[in-house]
Amino acid sequence: MIKKTMFLNAVSGFLVTVSVAAGACLGSGTAYAALSQGASAPDFTLQGALAGKPFTFSLKSALAQGPVVLYFFPAAFTTGCTQEAHDFAEAAEQFHAAGATLVGITAGNTDRVAEFSKVECRDKFAVLADPGALTAILYHSVNTEHQTLLSQRTSYVIAPDGTILLSFTSNNPEQHVVETLDALKKWHAGKRQK
């Protein structure tokens, strides 16, 4: 408990800002992520699983291969997060066809990401564990409504140069696939016009 209190005190200014912003947006049913389109995506390396097998994910390495679709979700095996994982799994081939790496990330029940990647993500994409929500904090994608820090349901599309092409926060899990695929299509269309 002391460790958690010290950690919360260390990031209290950030959390107050997030809480105020989230509180202001909750009435409308949609919140907006603090990292906006055009910002630089913070680099990170995390442990995760793909098809139940552990591996290390590096954003920098993934971006060297093409755009990255990074979606934060609160906790594995909860209703909304399971639906969102199913939706992303069904669209995984579309992300692959767009040359994008698709990856989910959660600060909730991080000990279950291997199982979640196999069962709910249907072996289609990786899921990363974010203990203590440290990466979620970097991305200003923290849900402060619980006693423990959880990831906010936020999706990012990140260009290979690290620029955020889309920052989308909504508690509606169904909208995230639509928004991220649309951002990839727009990015590809913009590249063709240049």
Side-chain angles (χ1 to χ4, degrees), residues 11-163:
V11 295
S12 63
F14 169 76
L15 293 177
V16 168
T17 302
V18 170
S19 294
V20 169
C25 296
L26 283 176
S28 66
T30 301
Y32 298 93
L35 290 184
S36 61
Q37 182 177 334
S40 293
D43 192 26
F44 66 90
T45 300
L46 287 175
Q47 299 302 308
L50 175 60
K53 297 180 178 136
F55 83 111
T56 301
F57 177 89
S58 159
L59 179 63
K60 183 178 180 180
S61 296
L63 289 173
Q65 307 301 313
V68 171
V69 174
L70 176 66
Y71 86 93
F72 288 88
F73 63 97
F77 296 106
T78 57
T79 304
C81 298
T82 295
Q83 180 60 53
E84 187 175 27
H86 291 177
D87 293 346
F88 272 112
E90 286 175 18
E93 291 306 316
Q94 294 176 65
F95 288 105
H96 181 72
T101 299
L102 172 62
V103 62
I105 181 170
T106 186
N109 55 10
T110 57
D111 57 325
R112 299 189 72 192
V113 296
E115 180 187 3
F116 193 70
S117 75
K118 186 155 190 59
V119 176
E120 305 301 356
C121 302
R122 301 176 178 161
D123 298 338
K124 301 283 187 176
F125 61 92
V127 180
L128 308 178
D130 184 20
L134 298 179
T135 303
I137 289 170
L138 280 177
Y139 278 78
H140 300 200
S141 300
V142 180
N143 183 330
T144 59
E145 296 176 2
H146 305 279
Q147 287 188 335
T148 57
L149 293 177
L150 295 176
S151 315
Q152 178 70 30
R153 194 178 307 283
T154 302
S155 294
Y156 292 97
V157 177
I158 306 167
D161 68 358
T163 302

